[in-house]
Amino acid sequence: AQSVAQPEDQVNVAEGNPLTVKCTYSVSGNPYLFWYVQYPNRGLQFLLKYITGDNLVKGSYGFEAEFNKSQTSFHLKKPSALVSDSALYFCACALDSNYQLIWGAGTKLIIKP
Amino acid sequence: DVKVTQSSRYLVKRTGEKVFLECVQDMDHENMFWYRQDPGLGLRLIYFSYDVKMKEKGDIPEGYSVSREKKERFSLILESASTNQTSMYLCASSFHGTVRSYTFGSGTRLTVV
């Protein structure tokens, strides 16, 4: 079965430290990978996506993600965390033949001052 | 500013009631989706539509139906609300034919009592 895994339910980071939110995928075919963020009581907002090309993708709010085909991973990163980055983060994958997204369960990111 | 608008942020309904959740987008998107979001389960696809009067079942269609009479509007219907349908409901839309990011509404938190 095709799936997206976010192995951590919650990630705690001190403000100013680098952060990583992990995502791995298991799909057949060429994956298109996405990160979305959800602030409390809001819908999801698009952060970044990988379609093809450079494995390092830059997105909104200073976030970036690295596509690693051999490890089937697409981890979200930021060099210096802000308290305002605290939110729920979702990784998602689409297949090259299908525009539907397969979603991870989400990771709650908490940035402590 | 492009938008997906969900008609209600919060709803409280009684068991057995027929419930309508409305979603309108102003981006001329072909695809529209209804998800429910529950803690620890991520986003689960209820129904989607890629054209007017077209609908496809997602992963958890039981107890739900949808209507898409106009391109910009996608309605989710709970035929007879039950307490296990208490959840956050998210509407999303996207262009068809390419892997584009989704635009989400702010969500409707439905409580069935």
Side-chain angles (χ1 to χ4, degrees), chain B residues 42-113:
Chain B
L43 275 67
R44 293 182 291 169
L45 182 63
I46 305 171
Y47 268 97
F48 66 99
S49 167
Y50 51 84
D51 201 353
V52 176
K53 296 191 185 295
M54 301 296 288
K55 60 184 179 183
E56 296 284 345
K57 293 181 179 179
D59 300 318
I60 53 164
E62 296 79 16
Y64 303 94
S65 63
V66 290
S67 172
R68 193 164 180 203
E69 296 297 318
K70 294 184 178 182
K71 189 176 185 179
E72 66 271 19
R73 186 180 297 270
F74 192 36
S75 303
L76 179 69
I77 303 155
L78 286 65
E79 298 291 344
S80 178
S82 64
T83 55
N84 63 12
Q85 292 178 311
T86 292
S87 186
M88 170 71 93
Y89 290 87
L90 294 170
C91 176
S93 68
S94 73
F95 285 113
H96 187 67
T98 59
V99 183
R100 307 273 191 112
S101 60
Y102 289 11
T103 301
F104 280 84
S106 295
T108 295
R109 186 166 294 280
L110 174 67
T111 302
V112 182
V113 297

Coordinates of all heavy atoms in Angstrom, one line a residue, chain B residues 42-113:
Chain B
G42 N -4.6 12.3 10.9 CA -4.3 13.1 9.7 C -5.5 13.5 9.0 O -6.6 13.6 9.5
L43 N -5.4 13.6 7.7 CA -6.5 14.0 6.8 C -7.0 12.7 6.1 O -6.2 12.0 5.5 CB -6.0 15.0 5.8 CG -6.1 16.5 6.2 CD1 -5.1 16.8 7.3 CD2 -5.9 17.4 5.0
R44 N -8.3 12.5 6.1 CA -8.8 11.4 5.4 C -9.8 11.9 4.4 O -10.7 12.7 4.7 CB -9.5 10.4 6.4 CG -8.6 9.7 7.3 CD -9.3 8.8 8.2 NE -10.1 9.5 9.2 CZ -11.0 8.8 10.0 NH1 -11.2 7.5 9.9 NH2 -11.6 9.5 10.9
L45 N -9.7 11.4 3.2 CA -10.5 11.9 2.0 C -11.9 11.3 2.1 O -12.0 10.1 2.1 CB -9.8 11.6 0.7 CG -10.4 12.1 -0.5 CD1 -10.5 13.6 -0.6 CD2 -9.7 11.6 -1.8
I46 N -12.9 12.2 2.0 CA -14.3 11.7 2.1 C -14.8 11.5 0.6 O -15.2 10.5 0.2 CB -15.2 12.7 2.9 CG1 -14.6 12.9 4.3 CG2 -16.6 12.1 2.9 CD1 -15.3 14.0 5.0
Y47 N -14.8 12.6 -0.1 CA -15.2 12.7 -1.5 C -14.4 13.7 -2.2 O -13.9 14.6 -1.6 CB -16.7 13.1 -1.6 CG -17.7 12.0 -1.6 CD1 -18.3 11.6 -0.4 CD2 -18.0 11.3 -2.8 CE1 -19.3 10.6 -0.4 CE2 -19.0 10.3 -2.8 CZ -19.6 9.9 -1.6 OH -20.5 8.9 -1.6
F48 N -14.3 13.5 -3.5 CA -13.7 14.6 -4.4 C -14.5 14.7 -5.7 O -15.2 13.8 -6.1 CB -12.2 14.4 -4.6 CG -11.8 13.1 -5.4 CD1 -11.5 13.2 -6.7 CD2 -11.8 11.9 -4.7 CE1 -11.2 12.1 -7.4 CE2 -11.4 10.8 -5.5 CZ -11.1 10.9 -6.8
S49 N -14.2 15.8 -6.4 CA -14.9 16.1 -7.6 C -13.9 16.7 -8.5 O -13.2 17.6 -8.1 CB -16.1 17.0 -7.4 OG -16.6 17.5 -8.6
Y50 N -13.8 16.3 -9.8 CA -12.9 17.0 -10.7 C -13.7 17.7 -11.9 O -13.1 18.1 -12.8 CB -11.9 16.0 -11.3 CG -12.5 14.7 -11.9 CD1 -13.0 14.7 -13.1 CD2 -12.6 13.6 -11.1 CE1 -13.6 13.5 -13.6 CE2 -13.1 12.4 -11.6 CZ -13.6 12.4 -12.9 OH -14.2 11.2 -13.3
D51 N -15.0 17.8 -11.7 CA -15.8 18.5 -12.7 C -17.2 18.7 -12.1 O -17.6 18.0 -11.2 CB -15.8 17.8 -14.0 CG -16.2 18.7 -15.2 OD1 -16.5 19.9 -14.9 OD2 -16.1 18.2 -16.3
V52 N -17.9 19.6 -12.7 CA -19.3 19.8 -12.3 C -20.1 18.5 -12.5 O -19.9 17.8 -13.5 CB -19.9 21.0 -13.1 CG1 -21.4 21.1 -12.8 CG2 -19.2 22.3 -12.9
K53 N -20.9 18.2 -11.5 CA -21.8 17.1 -11.5 C -21.0 15.7 -11.4 O -21.6 14.7 -11.5 CB -22.7 17.0 -12.6 CG -23.7 18.2 -12.6 CD -24.8 18.0 -13.6 CE -25.7 19.3 -13.7 NZ -26.4 19.5 -12.4
M54 N -19.7 15.8 -11.3 CA -18.9 14.6 -11.1 C -18.5 14.5 -9.7 O -18.2 15.4 -9.0 CB -17.6 14.7 -12.0 CG -17.9 14.9 -13.4 SD -18.7 13.5 -14.2 CE -17.4 12.2 -14.2
K55 N -18.5 13.2 -9.2 CA -18.0 13.0 -7.8 C -17.4 11.6 -7.7 O -17.8 10.7 -8.5 CB -19.2 13.1 -6.8 CG -20.3 12.1 -7.1 CD -21.5 12.3 -6.1 CE -22.6 11.4 -6.4 NZ -23.8 11.6 -5.5
E56 N -16.4 11.5 -6.9 CA -15.7 10.2 -6.7 C -15.6 9.9 -5.2 O -15.3 10.9 -4.4 CB -14.4 10.2 -7.3 CG -14.3 10.4 -8.8 CD -14.7 9.1 -9.5 OE1 -14.7 8.0 -8.8 OE2 -15.0 9.1 -10.7
K57 N -15.8 8.7 -4.7 CA -15.6 8.4 -3.3 C -14.1 8.4 -3.0 O -13.3 8.0 -3.7 CB -16.2 7.0 -3.1 CG -17.7 6.9 -3.2 CD -18.2 5.5 -2.9 CE -19.7 5.5 -3.0 NZ -20.2 4.1 -2.8
G58 N -13.9 8.9 -1.8 CA -12.6 8.8 -1.2 C -12.4 7.6 -0.3 O -13.0 6.6 -0.6
D59 N -11.7 7.8 0.7 CA -11.3 6.6 1.6 C -12.4 6.3 2.6 O -12.6 5.2 3.0 CB -10.0 6.9 2.4 CG -8.9 7.1 1.4 OD1 -8.8 6.4 0.4 OD2 -8.1 8.0 1.7
I60 N -13.2 7.3 3.0 CA -14.3 7.1 4.0 C -15.6 7.8 3.6 O -16.1 8.7 4.3 CB -13.8 7.7 5.4 CG1 -13.3 9.2 5.3 CG2 -12.6 6.8 6.0 CD1 -13.2 9.9 6.6
P61 N -16.2 7.4 2.6 CA -17.5 8.0 2.1 C -18.7 7.6 2.9 O -19.7 8.3 2.7 CB -17.6 7.5 0.7 CG -16.9 6.1 0.7 CD -15.8 6.3 1.7
E62 N -18.6 6.6 3.7 CA -19.9 6.1 4.3 C -20.5 7.1 5.3 O -19.8 7.7 6.1 CB -19.5 4.8 5.2 CG -19.1 3.6 4.3 CD -17.6 3.7 3.9 OE1 -16.9 4.6 4.5 OE2 -17.2 3.0 3.0
G63 N -21.8 7.4 5.1 CA -22.5 8.3 5.9 C -22.5 9.7 5.3 O -23.1 10.6 5.9
Y64 N -21.8 9.9 4.2 CA -21.7 11.2 3.6 C -22.2 11.1 2.1 O -22.1 10.1 1.5 CB -20.3 11.7 3.6 CG -19.6 11.8 4.9 CD1 -18.8 10.7 5.4 CD2 -19.7 12.9 5.7 CE1 -18.2 10.8 6.6 CE2 -19.1 13.0 6.9 CZ -18.4 11.9 7.4 OH -17.8 12.0 8.6
S65 N -22.6 12.3 1.6 CA -22.8 12.5 0.2 C -22.3 13.8 -0.2 O -22.0 14.7 0.7 CB -24.3 12.2 -0.2 OG -25.1 13.2 0.4
V66 N -22.2 14.1 -1.5 CA -21.8 15.4 -2.0 C -22.6 15.9 -3.1 O -23.3 15.1 -3.8 CB -20.3 15.4 -2.4 CG1 -19.4 15.2 -1.2 CG2 -20.0 14.3 -3.4
S67 N -22.5 17.2 -3.4 CA -23.2 17.8 -4.5 C -22.3 18.8 -5.2 O -21.7 19.6 -4.4 CB -24.5 18.4 -4.1 OG -25.1 19.1 -5.1
R68 N -22.2 18.8 -6.5 CA -21.4 19.8 -7.2 C -22.2 20.2 -8.4 O -22.0 19.7 -9.5 CB -20.0 19.4 -7.6 CG -19.2 20.6 -8.0 CD -17.7 20.3 -8.0 NE -16.9 21.4 -8.4 CZ -15.7 21.3 -8.9 NH1 -15.2 20.1 -9.1 NH2 -15.1 22.4 -9.2
E69 N -23.1 21.2 -8.2 CA -23.9 21.7 -9.3 C -23.3 22.8 -10.1 O -23.6 23.1 -11.2 CB -25.3 22.2 -8.7 CG -26.1 21.0 -8.1 CD -26.5 20.0 -9.1 OE1 -26.9 20.4 -10.2 OE2 -26.4 18.8 -8.8
K70 N -22.4 23.5 -9.4 CA -21.6 24.6 -10.1 C -20.1 24.4 -9.8 O -19.8 23.8 -8.8 CB -22.1 26.0 -9.5 CG -23.5 26.3 -9.9 CD -23.8 27.7 -9.4 CE -25.2 28.1 -9.8 NZ -25.6 29.5 -9.4
K71 N -19.3 24.9 -10.7 CA -17.9 24.7 -10.6 C -17.3 25.2 -9.3 O -16.4 24.6 -8.7 CB -17.2 25.4 -11.8 CG -15.7 25.0 -11.9 CD -15.1 25.6 -13.1 CE -13.7 25.2 -13.3 NZ -13.1 25.8 -14.6
E72 N -17.8 26.3 -8.8 CA -17.2 26.9 -7.7 C -17.7 26.4 -6.3 O -17.1 26.7 -5.3 CB -17.4 28.5 -7.7 CG -18.9 28.9 -7.5 CD -19.6 29.0 -8.9 OE1 -19.1 28.4 -9.9 OE2 -20.7 29.6 -8.9
R73 N -18.7 25.6 -6.3 CA -19.3 25.1 -5.1 C -19.3 23.6 -4.9 O -19.8 22.9 -5.8 CB -20.8 25.7 -5.0 CG -21.5 25.4 -3.7 CD -22.9 26.0 -3.7 NE -22.8 27.5 -3.9 CZ -22.8 28.3 -2.9 NH1 -22.8 27.9 -1.7 NH2 -22.8 29.6 -3.2
F74 N -18.9 23.2 -3.7 CA -18.9 21.7 -3.5 C -19.5 21.5 -2.1 O -18.9 22.0 -1.1 CB -17.4 21.2 -3.6 CG -17.3 19.7 -3.6 CD1 -18.2 18.9 -4.2 CD2 -16.2 19.1 -3.0 CE1 -18.0 17.5 -4.3 CE2 -16.0 17.8 -3.0 CZ -16.9 17.0 -3.7
S75 N -20.6 20.8 -2.0 CA -21.3 20.7 -0.7 C -21.1 19.3 -0.2 O -21.2 18.3 -0.9 CB -22.8 21.0 -0.9 OG -23.0 22.3 -1.4
L76 N -20.9 19.2 1.1 CA -20.8 17.9 1.8 C -22.1 17.7 2.6 O -22.5 18.7 3.3 CB -19.6 17.8 2.7 CG -19.4 16.6 3.5 CD1 -19.1 15.4 2.6 CD2 -18.3 16.7 4.6
I77 N -22.7 16.6 2.5 CA -24.0 16.3 3.2 C -23.9 15.1 4.1 O -23.4 14.1 3.7 CB -25.1 16.1 2.2 CG1 -25.2 17.3 1.2 CG2 -26.5 15.9 2.8 CD1 -25.8 16.9 -0.2
L78 N -24.2 15.3 5.4 CA -24.3 14.2 6.3 C -25.8 13.9 6.4 O -26.6 14.7 6.9 CB -23.8 14.6 7.7 CG -22.3 14.8 7.9 CD1 -21.7 15.9 7.0 CD2 -22.0 14.9 9.3
E79 N -26.2 12.8 5.8 CA -27.6 12.4 5.7 C -28.3 12.3 7.0 O -29.4 12.7 7.2 CB -27.7 11.1 4.9 CG -27.2 11.2 3.4 CD -28.0 12.1 2.5 OE1 -29.2 12.4 2.9 OE2 -27.5 12.5 1.5
S80 N -27.6 11.7 8.0 CA -28.2 11.5 9.3 C -27.0 11.6 10.3 O -26.4 10.6 10.5 CB -29.0 10.2 9.4 OG -29.5 10.0 10.7
A81 N -26.8 12.7 10.8 CA -25.6 12.9 11.6 C -25.5 12.0 12.8 O -26.5 11.7 13.5 CB -25.5 14.4 12.1
S82 N -24.3 11.5 13.0 CA -24.0 10.7 14.2 C -22.9 11.2 15.0 O -22.1 12.0 14.5 CB -23.7 9.2 13.8 OG -22.6 9.2 13.0
T83 N -22.8 10.8 16.2 CA -21.7 11.4 17.1 C -20.3 11.1 16.6 O -19.4 11.8 16.8 CB -21.9 10.9 18.5 OG1 -21.9 9.4 18.5 CG2 -23.2 11.4 19.2
N84 N -20.1 10.0 15.9 CA -18.8 9.6 15.3 C -18.4 10.5 14.1 O -17.4 10.3 13.6 CB -18.7 8.1 15.1 CG -19.6 7.6 14.0 OD1 -20.2 8.4 13.3 ND2 -19.7 6.3 13.8
Q85 N -19.3 11.4 13.7 CA -19.0 12.3 12.7 C -18.6 13.7 13.2 O -18.3 14.6 12.5 CB -20.2 12.5 11.7 CG -20.4 11.2 10.9 CD -21.6 11.3 10.0 OE1 -22.7 11.7 10.4 NE2 -21.4 11.0 8.7
T86 N -18.5 13.7 14.5 CA -17.9 14.9 15.2 C -16.4 15.0 14.7 O -15.6 14.1 15.0 CB -18.0 14.8 16.7 OG1 -19.4 14.9 17.1 CG2 -17.2 15.9 17.4
S87 N -16.1 16.1 14.1 CA -14.7 16.2 13.5 C -14.5 17.6 13.0 O -15.4 18.5 12.9 CB -14.6 15.2 12.4 OG -13.2 15.2 11.9
M88 N -13.3 17.9 12.5 CA -13.0 19.1 11.7 C -13.1 18.7 10.2 O -12.5 17.7 9.8 CB -11.6 19.5 12.0 CG -11.1 20.6 11.0 SD -11.9 22.2 11.3 CE -10.7 23.0 12.4
Y89 N -13.8 19.4 9.5 CA -14.0 19.2 8.1 C -13.3 20.2 7.3 O -13.5 21.4 7.5 CB -15.5 19.1 7.7 CG -16.1 17.9 8.3 CD1 -16.7 17.9 9.6 CD2 -16.2 16.7 7.5 CE1 -17.2 16.7 10.1 CE2 -16.8 15.5 8.1 CZ -17.3 15.6 9.4 OH -17.8 14.4 9.9
L90 N -12.5 19.8 6.3 CA -11.7 20.7 5.5 C -12.0 20.5 4.0 O -12.1 19.4 3.5 CB -10.2 20.4 5.7 CG -9.6 20.7 7.1 CD1 -8.2 20.2 7.2 CD2 -9.6 22.2 7.4
C91 N -12.3 21.6 3.4 CA -12.5 21.7 1.9 C -11.2 22.2 1.3 O -10.5 23.0 1.8 CB -13.7 22.6 1.6 SG -14.0 22.8 -0.1
A92 N -10.9 21.6 0.1 CA -9.7 22.1 -0.6 C -10.0 22.1 -2.1 O -11.0 21.4 -2.6 CB -8.5 21.2 -0.4
S93 N -9.3 22.8 -2.9 CA -9.4 22.8 -4.3 C -8.1 22.9 -5.0 O -7.1 23.4 -4.4 CB -10.3 24.0 -4.8 OG -9.7 25.2 -4.5
S94 N -8.0 22.5 -6.3 CA -6.8 22.6 -7.0 C -7.1 22.6 -8.5 O -8.2 22.2 -8.9 CB -5.9 21.5 -6.7 OG -6.3 20.2 -7.3
F95 N -6.2 23.0 -9.3 CA -6.3 22.8 -10.8 C -6.2 21.4 -11.2 O -5.5 20.6 -10.5 CB -5.3 23.7 -11.5 CG -5.6 25.1 -11.5 CD1 -4.7 26.0 -10.8 CD2 -6.6 25.7 -12.2 CE1 -5.0 27.4 -10.8 CE2 -6.9 27.0 -12.2 CZ -6.1 27.9 -11.5
H96 N -6.8 21.0 -12.3 CA -6.7 19.7 -12.8 C -5.6 19.5 -13.8 O -5.2 20.5 -14.4 CB -8.0 19.3 -13.5 CG -8.2 17.9 -13.9 ND1 -8.3 16.9 -13.0 CD2 -8.2 17.3 -15.1 CE1 -8.4 15.7 -13.6 NE2 -8.3 16.0 -14.9
G97 N -5.1 18.3 -13.9 CA -4.2 18.0 -15.0 C -2.7 18.1 -14.7 O -1.8 17.6 -15.4
T98 N -2.4 18.9 -13.6 CA -1.0 19.0 -13.2 C -0.9 18.9 -11.7 O -1.9 19.0 -11.1 CB -0.4 20.4 -13.6 OG1 -1.1 21.4 -13.0 CG2 -0.4 20.5 -15.1
V99 N 0.3 18.6 -11.2 CA 0.4 18.4 -9.8 C 0.6 19.8 -9.2 O 1.7 20.4 -9.1 CB 1.6 17.5 -9.5 CG1 1.6 17.3 -8.0 CG2 1.4 16.2 -10.2
R100 N -0.5 20.4 -8.8 CA -0.5 21.7 -8.2 C -0.8 21.6 -6.7 O -1.4 20.7 -6.3 CB -1.5 22.6 -8.8 CG -1.4 22.7 -10.3 CD -0.5 23.7 -10.8 NE -0.6 24.0 -12.3 CZ -1.1 25.1 -12.8 NH1 -1.5 26.1 -12.0 NH2 -1.2 25.2 -14.1
S101 N -0.4 22.6 -6.0 CA -0.7 22.6 -4.6 C -2.2 22.8 -4.4 O -2.9 23.4 -5.2 CB 0.0 23.7 -3.9 OG -0.3 25.0 -4.4
Y102 N -2.7 22.3 -3.3 CA -4.1 22.5 -2.9 C -4.2 23.9 -2.2 O -3.3 24.3 -1.4 CB -4.6 21.4 -1.9 CG -4.7 20.1 -2.5 CD1 -4.3 19.7 -3.8 CD2 -5.4 19.1 -1.8 CE1 -4.5 18.4 -4.3 CE2 -5.5 17.8 -2.3 CZ -5.1 17.5 -3.5 OH -5.3 16.2 -4.0
T103 N -5.4 24.5 -2.3 CA -5.8 25.6 -1.4 C -6.9 25.1 -0.5 O -7.9 24.6 -1.0 CB -6.2 26.8 -2.3 OG1 -5.2 27.2 -3.2 CG2 -6.6 28.0 -1.4
F104 N -6.7 25.4 0.8 CA -7.7 24.9 1.8 C -8.5 26.0 2.3 O -8.1 27.1 2.4 CB -6.9 24.2 2.9 CG -6.4 22.8 2.7 CD1 -5.3 22.6 2.0 CD2 -7.2 21.8 3.1 CE1 -4.8 21.3 1.8 CE2 -6.8 20.5 2.9 CZ -5.6 20.3 2.2
G105 N -9.7 25.6 2.7 CA -10.6 26.5 3.5 C -10.1 26.5 5.0 O -9.2 25.7 5.3
S106 N -10.7 27.3 5.8 CA -10.3 27.4 7.2 C -10.9 26.3 8.0 O -10.5 26.1 9.2 CB -10.8 28.7 7.8 OG -10.1 29.8 7.1
G107 N -11.8 25.5 7.5 CA -12.3 24.4 8.2 C -13.6 24.6 8.9 O -13.9 25.8 9.3
T108 N -14.4 23.6 9.1 CA -15.6 23.6 9.9 C -15.5 22.6 11.0 O -15.3 21.4 10.7 CB -16.9 23.3 9.0 OG1 -17.0 24.4 8.0 CG2 -18.1 23.3 9.9
R109 N -15.6 23.1 12.2 CA -15.6 22.1 13.3 C -17.0 21.8 13.7 O -17.8 22.6 14.2 CB -14.9 22.7 14.5 CG -14.7 21.7 15.7 CD -13.7 22.2 16.7 NE -12.3 22.3 16.2 CZ -11.5 21.2 16.1 NH1 -11.9 20.0 16.4 NH2 -10.3 21.4 15.7
L110 N -17.4 20.5 13.4 CA -18.7 20.0 13.6 C -18.8 19.2 14.8 O -18.0 18.3 15.0 CB -19.2 19.2 12.4 CG -20.5 18.5 12.5 CD1 -21.6 19.5 12.6 CD2 -20.7 17.5 11.4
T111 N -19.7 19.5 15.7 CA -20.0 18.7 16.9 C -21.4 18.1 16.8 O -22.3 18.9 16.6 CB -19.9 19.5 18.2 OG1 -18.5 20.1 18.2 CG2 -20.1 18.6 19.4
V112 N -21.5 16.8 16.9 CA -22.8 16.2 16.8 C -23.1 15.7 18.2 O -22.4 14.9 18.8 CB -22.9 15.0 15.8 CG1 -24.3 14.4 15.8 CG2 -22.4 15.5 14.4
V113 N -24.2 16.1 18.8 CA -24.6 15.8 20.2 C -25.8 14.9 20.2 O -26.6 14.8 19.3 CB -24.8 17.1 21.0 CG1 -23.5 17.9 21.1 CG2 -26.0 17.9 20.4

